Amino acid sequence: MGEQPEFGKLVIFGVGLVGGSFALALKAVGQVGEVVGFGRSLGSLSQAIDLGIIDRVGANAGAEVADADLVLIATPVAQMPEIMERIAPYLGDETLVTDGGSTKGDVVEAARAHFGSRIGQFVPGHPIAGAENSGPAAAHAGLYREKKVVLTPLPENAVLAVAKLRSAWEWCGAQVHELSPGEHDRVFAAV
């Protein structure tokens, strides 16, 4: 073993294109120790294991996020509030949470409602790398290479938290930009 990976444990909600490619990219550069996946269908979770995207399927969300370094919520935006509500009480003090949602205002609103005083641990993000296909089989380590990822940090985010997340996306080969959540939604509403 060489140096310690930057992220010892990554928990992913949604093991399809966005979450799966993120995990594979970090694995490809040796920057993640263990990847634990949650999803709505057992089929996609077992496929994600077969494809080496995740190391195991999570059983208890609260227990898994308690000692996670990073949590990526890569589900459709409509499913995010329920996941936030489920994990908020159990977040470890060092656990960083981000999302892959294409809209930010509504996601930030949900995060404020559910994370409360821990909102500083949530750094919103939007990887802009679509593909024709979805699901675990569409995931690949190179998805984010040379692609833009927009982080929309909150006033409560520590500089280190944002830097850590920026670093994760840069390990994936992405070009990271920062906007406020409001700016982000104005820009992308126009697209």
Side-chain angles (χ1 to χ4, degrees):
M1 290 296 287
E3 292 174 28
Q4 285 291 315
E6 185 162 0
F7 301 96
K9 179 178 176 186
L10 168 66
V11 175
I12 292 183
F13 290 88
V15 296
L17 181 69
V18 172
S21 297
F22 184 74
L24 288 174
L26 287 177
K27 283 184 166 200
V29 291
Q31 291 304 324
V32 66
E34 180 186 38
V35 182
V36 180
F38 287 88
R40 292 206 147 181
S41 104
L42 209 53
S44 62
L45 287 166
S46 56
Q47 195 182 15
I49 283 189
D50 293 344
L51 294 168
I53 293 171
I54 58 176
D55 299 307
R56 60 187 175 85
V57 173
N60 177 317
E64 296 296 358
V65 301
D67 64 348
D69 294 288
L70 185 60
V71 176
L72 171 63
I73 305 176
T75 62
V77 168
Q79 293 170 24
M80 290 183 184
E82 177 215 345
I83 292 168
M84 291 172 176
E85 183 177 22
R86 222 163 78 204
I87 67 175
Y90 305 102
L91 282 187
D93 293 337
E94 301 298 312
T95 304
L96 195 57
V97 183
T98 189
D99 74 301
S102 53
T103 55
K104 297 279 64 113
D106 47 355
V107 171
V108 169
E109 202 177 318
R112 287 192 182 283
H114 296 299
F115 291 133
S117 61
R118 305 197 125 187
I119 188 66
Q121 290 174 250
F122 178 72
V123 182
H126 174 199
I128 304 162
E132 298 310 301
N133 306 312
S134 59
H140 62 101
L143 181 70
Y144 300 113
R145 209 162 286 133
E146 302 302 317
K147 294 290 195 309
K148 287 181 173 51
V149 171
V150 180
L151 301 183
T152 59
L154 307 174
E156 294 88 346
N157 291 148
V159 173
L160 191 62
V162 178
K164 208 168 173 178
L165 186 59
R166 170 183 279 274
S167 164
W169 283 113
E170 285 173 347
W171 283 117
C172 296
Q175 299 167 342
V176 183
H177 301 267
E178 287 183 32
L179 292 172
S180 75
E183 284 172 326
H184 169 281
D185 287 355
R186 281 193 297 279
V187 168
F188 286 92
V191 171

